[in-house]
Amino acid sequence: DHRANALVSYAASFGSTTMEKIERFGIGDEIAGLLQGFYAVSVRDTNSAQIIQKLCGRIPFKHIDPVLLYDFSEVDSISIDIKEYIVVYAYADRITDEEAKAIQTFAKKKNKKILTLGFYQPFCDEYVLAKPLEVLAYIKHADYVITDTFHGTIFSIKYQTPFATLVRESNQQKLMDLLLTFDVQDRQIKGIEQLENVLEKTMNAEMICRRIKEEQVSAYRYLEMILGDCHE
């Protein structure tokens, strides 16, 4: 029931939804009909692009998460008093006992404090209830980041903070595509025994920054194009 002149999307995602699930629940025609109402469609991952192409026969644009379009210079003015720490950015109750033990072992070896942001994790040394920009500051100044989320991963990429991503079944479509886009597939943990090896790998900051700028150019061109067309 939108009342705009045109309906567009930017870097949208079907999340964990797959074409198989859509077909199982028999809602393909309904989704296709709604998508046909979009003037322009932009998604953030290949899975979403493939679903739209199969349902509608249209090839959507593919763009980076909007977090990477803005420089967030405000973060530079946020001071973090804690030093020598590891950020755990994960949903509650998803870190297994085995994973928690491995994280604690690594932190002890490196003499680092373990901070958890956003969600309480009982195995961490400190829980920080941070505001959105403070989350970015904590990740920017961290020695390491361990996450099982899309945004925990993208924040780490944004600041080239050494990170390790635990890919879950619920977010593998978005996460694996994100890691591939920035050529950091080696930051994925396929087994928790790989934690130290992944975290100690060198981040290619120059390559990541170059890739972000390339993706920004593509995104801005898309936004300028559709906003110009819709304004006319």
Side-chain angles (χ1 to χ4, degrees):
D1 191 34
H2 75 90
R3 300 178 186 182
N5 292 331
L7 187 63
V8 303
S9 74
Y10 177 81
S13 176
F14 276 91
S16 61
T17 298
T18 61
M19 196 63 219
E20 186 274 329
K21 291 179 182 178
I22 291 173
E23 291 173 344
R24 187 197 316 161
F25 289 100
I27 55 175
D29 290 342
E30 179 183 0
I31 295 175
L34 293 170
L35 285 170
Q36 293 292 1
F38 279 74
Y39 173 74
V41 179
S42 161
V43 298
R44 74 179 61 178
D45 58 85
T46 301
N47 175 62
S48 298
Q50 291 174 340
I51 289 174
I52 291 172
Q53 187 172 1
K54 187 164 186 179
L55 288 176
C56 306
R58 63 192 294 183
I59 300 176
F61 296 90
K62 185 169 174 286
H63 296 114
I64 54 175
D65 187 277
V67 167
L68 294 175
L69 295 186
Y70 183 63
D71 63 7
F72 291 99
S73 57
E74 304 95 319
V75 172
D76 295 335
S77 63
I78 299 175
S79 60
I80 303 297
D81 296 330
I82 304 172
K83 305 294 182 183
E84 303 291 328
Y85 65 91
I86 298 170
V87 163
V88 172
Y89 192 79
Y91 290 111
D93 302 321
R94 290 216 305 202
I95 299 291
T96 67
D97 291 341
E98 182 185 9
E99 291 167 351
K101 186 176 180 180
I103 294 169
Q104 288 176 318
T105 298
F106 178 78
K108 184 176 180 180
K109 180 178 180 180
K110 296 295 181 179
N111 196 27
K112 308 289 184 185
K113 180 177 285 190
I114 309 173
L115 306 185
T116 176
L117 304 176
F119 296 92
Y120 176 70
Q121 307 287 350
F123 68 92
C124 293
D125 300 310
E126 188 172 336
Y127 168 57
V128 180
L129 186 58
K131 297 176 182 179
L133 292 179
E134 290 175 341
V135 170
L136 294 179
Y138 273 103
I139 289 179
K140 181 177 181 178
H141 295 290
D143 294 295
Y144 304 96
V145 174
I146 300 166
T147 184
D148 68 353
T149 72
F150 178 87
H151 283 96
T153 301
I154 208 164
F155 295 157
S156 301
I157 291 172
K158 180 179 181 66
Y159 293 114
Q160 295 93 60
T161 303
F163 72 95
T165 297
L166 294 153
V167 179
R168 311 295 189 187
E169 183 178 355
S170 60
N171 59 15
Q172 61 178 327
Q173 284 88 1
K174 289 194 300 181
L175 268 178
M176 291 309 299
D177 198 81
L178 174 64
L179 295 174
L180 181 63
T181 297
F182 293 96
D183 197 19
V184 288
Q185 306 94 304
D186 60 347
R187 311 308 298 193
Q188 178 195 6
I189 299 178
K190 297 181 180 178
I192 195 58
E193 70 280 355
Q194 299 176 324
L195 180 66
E196 181 173 356
N197 180 53
V198 170
L199 287 174
E200 294 288 44
K201 289 181 178 179
T202 302
M203 296 283 288
N204 188 337
E206 182 179 349
M207 180 274 294
I208 291 173
C209 290
R210 183 175 65 251
R211 192 67 58 85
I212 290 175
K213 289 180 180 178
E214 291 171 351
E215 293 290 340
Q216 285 176 336
V217 170
S218 173
Y220 287 133
R221 283 176 178 168
Y222 168 77
L223 293 171
E224 289 171 354
M225 176 188 71
I226 62 170
L227 290 175
D229 289 350
C230 293
H231 182 69
E232 294 174 359

XYZ file of all heavy atoms in Angstrom, residues 19-74:
446
model
N 15.147 -20.875 -2.548
C 14.110 -21.183 -3.530
C 13.378 -22.467 -3.145
O 12.164 -22.585 -3.339
C 14.758 -21.327 -4.914
C 13.779 -21.274 -6.063
S 12.914 -19.681 -6.176
C 11.275 -20.254 -6.625
N 14.103 -23.401 -2.561
C 13.495 -24.667 -2.142
C 12.418 -24.424 -1.085
O 11.333 -25.026 -1.124
C 14.592 -25.595 -1.596
C 14.122 -27.011 -1.253
C 13.552 -27.116 0.150
O 13.998 -26.362 1.038
O 12.643 -27.964 0.356
N 12.682 -23.518 -0.153
C 11.702 -23.207 0.894
C 10.491 -22.493 0.304
O 9.349 -22.756 0.697
C 12.348 -22.334 1.965
C 13.409 -23.050 2.800
C 14.028 -22.108 3.818
C 15.117 -22.805 4.616
N 15.771 -21.884 5.595
N 10.740 -21.587 -0.630
C 9.636 -20.862 -1.271
C 8.713 -21.834 -1.995
O 7.486 -21.740 -1.909
C 10.196 -19.804 -2.251
C 10.879 -18.677 -1.464
C 9.091 -19.236 -3.146
C 11.616 -17.679 -2.325
N 9.302 -22.778 -2.716
C 8.506 -23.773 -3.448
C 7.771 -24.699 -2.491
O 6.625 -25.084 -2.739
C 9.415 -24.568 -4.378
C 9.963 -23.725 -5.546
C 10.989 -24.477 -6.375
O 11.500 -25.519 -5.879
O 11.296 -24.025 -7.497
N 8.416 -25.044 -1.377
C 7.793 -25.948 -0.399
C 6.526 -25.334 0.190
O 5.532 -26.019 0.425
C 8.773 -26.264 0.724
C 8.261 -27.342 1.700
C 9.035 -27.335 3.012
N 10.463 -27.206 2.803
C 11.300 -26.819 3.766
N 10.843 -26.485 4.966
N 12.597 -26.733 3.530
N 6.553 -24.026 0.428
C 5.397 -23.360 1.021
C 4.441 -22.788 -0.027
O 3.420 -22.192 0.319
C 5.853 -22.247 1.963
C 6.475 -22.763 3.233
C 7.853 -22.814 3.372
C 5.677 -23.218 4.281
C 8.437 -23.298 4.537
C 6.253 -23.701 5.444
C 7.632 -23.744 5.583
N 4.765 -22.956 -1.289
C 3.865 -22.552 -2.361
C 3.575 -21.066 -2.421
O 2.442 -20.659 -2.705
N 4.572 -20.240 -2.169
C 4.353 -18.787 -2.162
C 5.144 -18.077 -3.265
O 5.284 -16.860 -3.254
C 4.727 -18.179 -0.789
C 6.179 -18.546 -0.419
C 3.753 -18.636 0.287
C 6.659 -17.892 0.859
N 5.645 -18.844 -4.228
C 6.439 -18.267 -5.304
C 5.682 -17.235 -6.115
O 6.190 -16.148 -6.392
N 4.441 -17.548 -6.502
C 3.655 -16.623 -7.329
C 3.348 -15.340 -6.571
O 3.359 -14.246 -7.152
C 2.351 -17.289 -7.771
C 2.577 -18.401 -8.790
O 3.662 -18.426 -9.400
O 1.674 -19.249 -8.952
N 3.076 -15.470 -5.279
C 2.765 -14.292 -4.466
C 3.977 -13.349 -4.380
O 3.848 -12.131 -4.569
C 2.346 -14.719 -3.062
C 2.032 -13.547 -2.138
C 1.681 -13.984 -0.725
O 1.685 -15.213 -0.466
O 1.426 -13.101 0.121
N 5.140 -13.933 -4.107
C 6.359 -13.121 -4.007
C 6.688 -12.491 -5.361
O 7.045 -11.317 -5.439
C 7.540 -13.979 -3.506
C 7.265 -14.457 -2.088
C 8.840 -13.181 -3.560
C 8.317 -15.415 -1.547
N 6.561 -13.282 -6.428
C 6.861 -12.773 -7.767
C 5.961 -11.591 -8.109
O 6.409 -10.585 -8.664
C 6.688 -13.888 -8.801
N 4.684 -11.697 -7.761
C 3.751 -10.621 -8.040
C 4.111 -9.337 -7.308
O 4.031 -8.240 -7.870
N 4.536 -9.471 -6.062
C 4.934 -8.296 -5.280
C 6.223 -7.686 -5.821
O 6.373 -6.463 -5.875
C 5.108 -8.690 -3.811
C 3.821 -9.096 -3.079
C 4.145 -9.706 -1.716
C 2.903 -7.895 -2.911
N 7.146 -8.534 -6.230
C 8.416 -8.035 -6.765
C 8.227 -7.300 -8.085
O 8.990 -6.380 -8.410
C 9.395 -9.198 -6.953
C 10.033 -9.765 -5.682
C 10.785 -11.054 -5.981
C 10.983 -8.733 -5.053
N 7.224 -7.702 -8.839
C 6.979 -7.037 -10.120
C 6.587 -5.575 -9.924
O 6.686 -4.764 -10.851
C 5.867 -7.767 -10.894
C 6.237 -9.172 -11.354
C 7.318 -9.184 -12.425
O 7.822 -8.150 -12.835
N 7.694 -10.378 -12.880
N 6.173 -5.234 -8.707
C 5.797 -3.860 -8.431
C 6.975 -2.935 -8.182
O 6.794 -1.722 -8.030
N 8.175 -3.493 -8.151
C 9.374 -2.688 -7.920
C 9.883 -2.092 -9.224
O 10.024 -2.801 -10.226
C 10.482 -3.542 -7.299
C 10.350 -3.744 -5.813
C 9.392 -4.598 -5.300
C 11.175 -3.069 -4.927
C 9.265 -4.802 -3.935
C 11.063 -3.260 -3.568
C 10.100 -4.119 -3.064
N 10.207 -0.816 -9.178
C 10.809 -0.163 -10.338
C 12.241 -0.641 -10.527
O 12.692 -0.871 -11.657
C 10.777 1.355 -10.146
C 11.536 2.102 -11.214
C 11.023 2.223 -12.505
C 12.774 2.671 -10.935
C 11.720 2.900 -13.492
C 13.477 3.348 -11.921
C 12.958 3.458 -13.192
O 13.651 4.118 -14.167
N 12.969 -0.783 -9.412
C 14.351 -1.280 -9.454
C 14.599 -2.141 -8.231
O 14.101 -1.845 -7.145
C 15.340 -0.120 -9.496
N 15.369 -3.203 -8.426
C 15.653 -4.128 -7.331
C 17.160 -4.291 -7.163
O 17.876 -4.608 -8.116
C 15.016 -5.517 -7.578
C 15.355 -6.466 -6.428
C 13.508 -5.390 -7.719
N 17.614 -4.062 -5.955
C 19.020 -4.254 -5.600
C 19.083 -5.206 -4.413
O 18.308 -5.070 -3.460
C 19.655 -2.902 -5.238
O 20.843 -3.086 -4.486
N 19.976 -6.178 -4.481
C 20.145 -7.146 -3.398
C 21.598 -7.148 -2.942
O 22.459 -6.527 -3.558
C 19.730 -8.565 -3.855
C 18.261 -8.607 -4.240
C 20.597 -9.031 -5.028
N 21.861 -7.864 -1.854
C 23.222 -7.875 -1.327
C 23.925 -9.219 -1.468
O 25.100 -9.334 -1.127
C 23.214 -7.472 0.157
C 22.693 -8.528 1.110
C 22.732 -8.055 2.540
N 21.901 -6.884 2.737
C 21.729 -6.279 3.910
N 22.370 -6.717 4.971
N 20.928 -5.253 4.011
N 23.228 -10.243 -1.934
C 23.874 -11.549 -2.021
C 23.363 -12.327 -3.226
O 22.282 -12.063 -3.758
C 23.665 -12.355 -0.733
C 22.196 -12.554 -0.411
O 21.595 -13.494 -0.932
O 21.642 -11.741 0.366
N 24.165 -13.287 -3.645
C 23.868 -14.070 -4.842
C 22.609 -14.904 -4.688
O 21.835 -15.055 -5.641
C 25.062 -14.980 -5.184
O 26.220 -14.171 -5.388
C 24.796 -15.787 -6.445
N 22.373 -15.465 -3.506
C 21.177 -16.270 -3.279
C 19.916 -15.459 -3.576
O 19.008 -15.929 -4.264
C 21.145 -16.773 -1.835
C 19.859 -17.513 -1.489
O 19.545 -18.548 -2.071
N 19.103 -16.968 -0.547
N 19.872 -14.230 -3.077
C 18.712 -13.367 -3.309
C 18.564 -13.046 -4.798
O 17.451 -13.029 -5.329
C 18.852 -12.076 -2.498
O 18.897 -12.356 -1.111
N 19.687 -12.789 -5.458
C 19.652 -12.487 -6.889
C 19.100 -13.666 -7.679
O 18.281 -13.493 -8.604
C 21.049 -12.119 -7.379
N 19.519 -14.867 -7.328
C 19.075 -16.059 -8.040
C 17.584 -16.320 -7.828
O 16.878 -16.743 -8.747
C 19.901 -17.262 -7.598
C 21.353 -17.196 -8.067
C 22.210 -18.314 -7.514
O 21.862 -18.952 -6.501
N 23.339 -18.569 -8.163
N 17.101 -16.063 -6.607
C 15.677 -16.245 -6.313
C 14.839 -15.301 -7.170
O 13.851 -15.702 -7.796
C 15.386 -16.005 -4.817
C 15.969 -17.144 -3.968
C 13.875 -15.896 -4.566
C 15.851 -16.927 -2.473
N 15.236 -14.040 -7.217
C 14.487 -13.043 -7.985
C 14.517 -13.364 -9.471
O 13.512 -13.259 -10.178
C 15.045 -11.632 -7.721
C 14.728 -11.223 -6.279
C 14.474 -10.619 -8.707
C 15.384 -9.947 -5.835
N 15.669 -13.787 -9.953
C 15.785 -14.123 -11.372
C 14.881 -15.301 -11.726
O 14.234 -15.312 -12.779
C 17.237 -14.443 -11.725
C 17.471 -14.627 -13.210
C 18.942 -14.753 -13.565
O 19.808 -14.720 -12.694
N 19.238 -14.892 -14.843
N 14.808 -16.273 -10.828
C 13.979 -17.445 -11.109
C 12.496 -17.115 -11.006
O 11.685 -17.598 -11.794
C 14.325 -18.577 -10.142
C 13.620 -19.886 -10.477
C 14.241 -21.078 -9.784
C 13.604 -22.377 -10.247
N 14.228 -23.568 -9.599
N 12.135 -16.275 -10.034
C 10.728 -15.951 -9.830
C 10.198 -14.977 -10.869
O 9.057 -15.097 -11.323
C 10.525 -15.353 -8.430
C 10.632 -16.304 -7.237
C 10.508 -15.514 -5.936
C 9.563 -17.387 -7.296
N 11.022 -13.995 -11.229
C 10.538 -12.894 -12.075
C 11.184 -12.821 -13.448
O 10.708 -12.076 -14.316
C 10.779 -11.551 -11.377
S 10.109 -11.461 -9.723
N 12.299 -13.502 -13.616
C 13.003 -13.419 -14.887
C 13.783 -12.127 -15.045
O 14.254 -11.815 -16.141
N 13.931 -11.365 -13.965
C 14.699 -10.125 -14.022
C 15.994 -10.281 -13.233
O 16.031 -10.972 -12.216
C 13.891 -8.936 -13.486
C 13.508 -9.036 -12.031
C 12.477 -7.980 -11.625
N 12.983 -6.620 -11.697
C 12.285 -5.549 -11.329
N 11.035 -5.699 -10.861
N 12.804 -4.333 -11.412
N 17.050 -9.675 -13.720
C 18.345 -9.758 -13.049
C 18.529 -8.520 -12.183
O 18.650 -7.411 -12.708
C 19.497 -9.867 -14.071
C 19.310 -11.118 -14.938
C 20.834 -9.914 -13.353
C 20.335 -11.256 -16.041
N 18.528 -8.670 -10.853
C 18.651 -7.504 -9.980
C 20.086 -6.995 -9.908
O 21.034 -7.710 -10.241
C 18.194 -8.050 -8.617
C 18.567 -9.492 -8.664
C 18.360 -9.921 -10.094
N 20.242 -5.774 -9.486
C 21.562 -5.235 -9.189
C 22.049 -5.869 -7.884
O 21.243 -6.296 -7.056
C 21.495 -3.711 -9.022
C 21.092 -2.978 -10.258
C 19.756 -2.709 -10.522
C 22.054 -2.539 -11.160
C 19.374 -2.024 -11.666
C 21.691 -1.849 -12.313
C 20.352 -1.595 -12.561
N 23.357 -5.910 -7.696
C 23.926 -6.464 -6.470
C 24.867 -5.431 -5.860
O 25.783 -4.957 -6.535
C 24.683 -7.760 -6.764
C 25.220 -8.472 -5.536
C 25.713 -9.875 -5.919
C 26.385 -10.575 -4.752
N 27.715 -10.029 -4.461
N 24.616 -5.079 -4.597
C 25.382 -4.020 -3.961
C 25.766 -4.369 -2.529
O 25.183 -5.261 -1.914
C 24.588 -2.707 -3.969
C 24.308 -2.169 -5.330
N 23.033 -2.073 -5.850
C 25.146 -1.725 -6.304
C 23.092 -1.581 -7.076
N 24.357 -1.360 -7.374
N 26.722 -3.599 -2.011
C 27.208 -3.817 -0.651
C 26.234 -3.244 0.380
O 25.420 -2.379 0.085
C 28.597 -3.176 -0.439
C 28.574 -1.686 -0.836
C 29.655 -3.935 -1.203
C 29.864 -0.954 -0.551
N 26.366 -3.731 1.591
C 25.570 -3.247 2.714
C 25.784 -1.734 2.876
O 26.904 -1.239 2.737
C 26.005 -3.978 3.989
C 25.113 -3.656 5.167
O 25.337 -2.612 5.807
O 24.206 -4.448 5.462
N 24.721 -0.977 3.191
C 24.862 0.478 3.332
C 25.846 0.921 4.406
O 26.310 2.070 4.380
C 23.437 0.946 3.647
C 22.687 -0.278 4.050
C 23.326 -1.408 3.322
N 26.168 0.045 5.350
C 27.183 0.377 6.357
C 28.492 0.801 5.695
O 29.224 1.652 6.208
C 27.437 -0.833 7.293
C 28.696 -0.623 8.129
C 26.242 -1.048 8.220
N 28.773 0.243 4.526
C 30.035 0.523 3.844
C 29.959 1.747 2.926
O 30.957 2.108 2.303
C 30.474 -0.701 3.038
C 30.836 -1.932 3.863
C 31.146 -3.118 2.952
C 32.013 -1.651 4.776
N 28.811 2.380 2.848
C 28.681 3.561 1.992
C 29.012 4.850 2.737
O 29.278 5.875 2.121
C 27.257 3.675 1.434
C 26.798 2.574 0.485
C 25.433 2.904 -0.081
C 27.808 2.361 -0.637
N 28.990 4.788 4.057
C 29.194 5.977 4.879
C 30.479 5.806 5.682
O 30.774 4.709 6.146
C 27.989 6.158 5.796
C 28.019 7.398 6.661
C 28.019 8.661 6.089
C 28.033 7.296 8.047
C 28.026 9.800 6.880
C 28.052 8.435 8.854
C 28.044 9.681 8.261
O 28.068 10.803 9.042
N 31.236 6.886 5.854
C 32.538 6.743 6.507
C 32.466 6.700 8.029
O 33.415 6.290 8.688
C 33.499 7.851 6.065
C 33.010 9.244 6.459
O 31.994 9.356 7.194
O 33.646 10.229 6.034
N 31.325 7.123 8.614
C 31.172 7.103 10.067
C 32.350 7.789 10.762
O 32.946 7.257 11.697
C 31.016 5.668 10.587
C 29.714 5.026 10.208
C 29.659 4.165 9.117
C 28.549 5.298 10.900
C 28.449 3.586 8.739
C 27.331 4.728 10.526
C 27.285 3.870 9.441
N 32.665 8.993 10.310
C 33.774 9.739 10.902
C 33.530 10.050 12.373
O 34.478 10.298 13.134
C 34.000 11.040 10.126
O 32.814 11.826 10.098
N 32.266 10.018 12.785
C 31.934 10.258 14.189
C 32.612 9.258 15.126
O 32.880 9.556 16.292
C 30.416 10.179 14.417
C 29.595 11.107 13.542
C 29.082 10.415 12.290
O 29.838 9.642 11.700
O 27.930 10.658 11.921
